[in-house]
Amino acid sequence: MKKLYAIFMCVAMLGLAAHGQAVRRLDPATQQARLDLQKKLVGNQSPESTTLCKYKFISGSGNTYMNFCVTKNGNIAKFESPSKQEFIQVGTIGEGYGFCDYDTETEYYDYAGYGDSGNWLAATTVSSSSTSVKISRKTSDGIYTLTQTITQNASNALAEVTMALKNNTSSSHHVGLLRYADVDASGNPDNNFDYSYRTGFGWDESGYGLQLTHVSGFALNGGFSQIVASGPNPCQIFENVGNGQAIDGSIFIEYDMELGSGKTGTTVDTYKSF
């Protein structure tokens, strides 16, 4: 009896392992239709907009393998973890940052392949190393400077994104700052999406997922998922918020802050596969 039980458990575990390794694949026609729809969601693209990788970070092996890259503007244009499981560099590449000046309803954003607001100056690389890059970018009106530090955390197989938004003026400003990603888990545009207070996540059934998680920053408004692949309107962030199954969606985290004269608001988020 014990021998039969042991055999049963071994077969059951092998079945579970096989199930866990299976990755759903869309049929080619559906895959292409989803990618074509992504192109229709692309907004304004200024001459500074880009999806080209400039800084590359690779670490680990097996389940700890991570391969991501950063553009000159501070967008994460690729995130692969574990090996051969890509989440961002699929179809239209969507990842980046945005914020709204609620006092004037002015939008500032750069969502890589999905376009940008066109009111940024060229980005400047402050520093770079084998494990991190620091990029500064001022708005064309001179009111704000966004400094991003994107760091490879090899031991935990995650990418840490620090955003520091400075108010360069002598008056206070009410702003909402966000981080966004179009998740195409395991190369599939259609995924499942949901969110909790501090995390937005998208995953492929029986496959892999990507989560964007709040670490620190005043004052967190929440983690969210969207029913569209493109980035949110920074001044109307709830327009497309929702969860669902087998949709081409996206995730973001948003912070609501009051920036006094010359003050800086800093947030820290991480990307990690699951």
Side-chain angles (χ1 to χ4, degrees):
M1 186 69 180
K2 289 183 179 180
K3 185 176 181 180
L4 287 174
Y5 177 77
I7 293 172
F8 170 78
M9 289 301 294
C10 181
V11 172
M13 292 302 291
L14 286 172
L16 285 172
H19 176 75
Q21 291 171 359
V23 177
R24 179 182 62 91
R25 296 296 180 191
L26 297 177
D27 65 87
T30 302
Q31 177 97 351
Q32 190 57 52
R34 297 295 187 270
L35 297 179
D36 289 343
L37 179 59
Q38 288 183 355
K39 294 177 182 178
K40 294 180 180 180
L41 295 173
V42 174
N44 172 72
Q45 290 182 303
S46 75
E48 290 295 325
S49 180
T50 185
T51 60
L52 296 178
C53 293
K54 185 173 182 179
Y55 305 97
K56 299 179 181 180
F57 304 95
I58 302 174
S59 60
S61 62
N63 283 331
T64 65
Y65 178 82
M66 181 175 61
N67 180 350
F68 72 94
C69 73
V70 180
T71 72
K72 66 173 185 176
N73 293 331
N75 311 93
I76 296 178
K78 173 183 177 63
F79 192 93
E80 178 189 355
S81 182
S83 180
K84 298 181 181 179
Q85 302 303 321
E86 177 60 46
F87 294 93
I88 293 177
Q89 201 173 64
V90 180
T92 301
I93 298 171
E95 198 282 335
Y97 46 90
F99 66 94
C100 176
D101 182 328
Y102 289 121
D103 299 324
T104 60
E105 292 294 307
T106 302
E107 304 169 20
Y108 307 85
Y109 63 88
D110 187 329
Y111 296 148
Y114 284 101
D116 61 10
S117 53
N119 50 1
W120 296 91
L121 298 178
T124 300
T125 299
V126 178
S127 62
S128 66
S129 70
S130 61
T131 58
S132 70
V133 61
K134 187 174 185 179
I135 296 170
S136 179
R137 199 173 189 188
K138 184 178 288 188
T139 57
S140 56
D141 54 23
I143 298 175
Y144 300 98
T145 300
L146 177 65
T147 302
Q148 303 178 75
T149 304
I150 301 174
T151 304
Q152 172 200 72
N153 185 324
S155 60
N156 293 306
L158 58 82
E160 182 179 275
V161 181
T162 300
M163 297 191 292
L165 184 63
K166 182 180 179 181
N167 171 13
N168 299 320
T169 73
S170 58
S171 57
S172 179
H173 288 272
H174 179 201
V175 301
L177 175 64
L178 66 89
R179 193 81 197 185
Y180 142 87
D182 170 20
V183 177
D184 295 315
S186 300
N188 288 326
D190 281 4
N191 300 144
N192 300 328
F193 287 87
D194 210 338
Y195 58 95
S196 64
Y197 174 57
R198 65 184 190 128
T199 305
F201 41 95
W203 73 97
D204 190 54
E205 188 173 347
S206 299
Y208 298 83
L210 181 68
Q211 62 187 37
L212 175 60
T213 301
H214 158 76
V215 176
S216 64
F218 180 86
L220 175 66
N221 197 6
F224 302 97
S225 61
Q226 295 193 117
I227 57 174
V228 296
S230 54
N233 177 335
C235 293
Q236 299 290 335
I237 63 169
F238 298 112
E239 283 182 330
N240 295 303
V241 166
N243 55 17
Q245 295 180 319
I247 59 173
D248 190 5
S250 56
I251 56 178
F252 71 92
I253 285 181
E254 202 256 8
Y255 298 84
D256 191 295
M257 58 184 73
E258 192 74 27
L259 290 180
S261 172
K263 298 299 183 181
T264 299
T266 302
T267 67
V268 181
D269 304 302
T270 60
Y271 283 109
K272 183 175 176 61
S273 70
F274 63 90

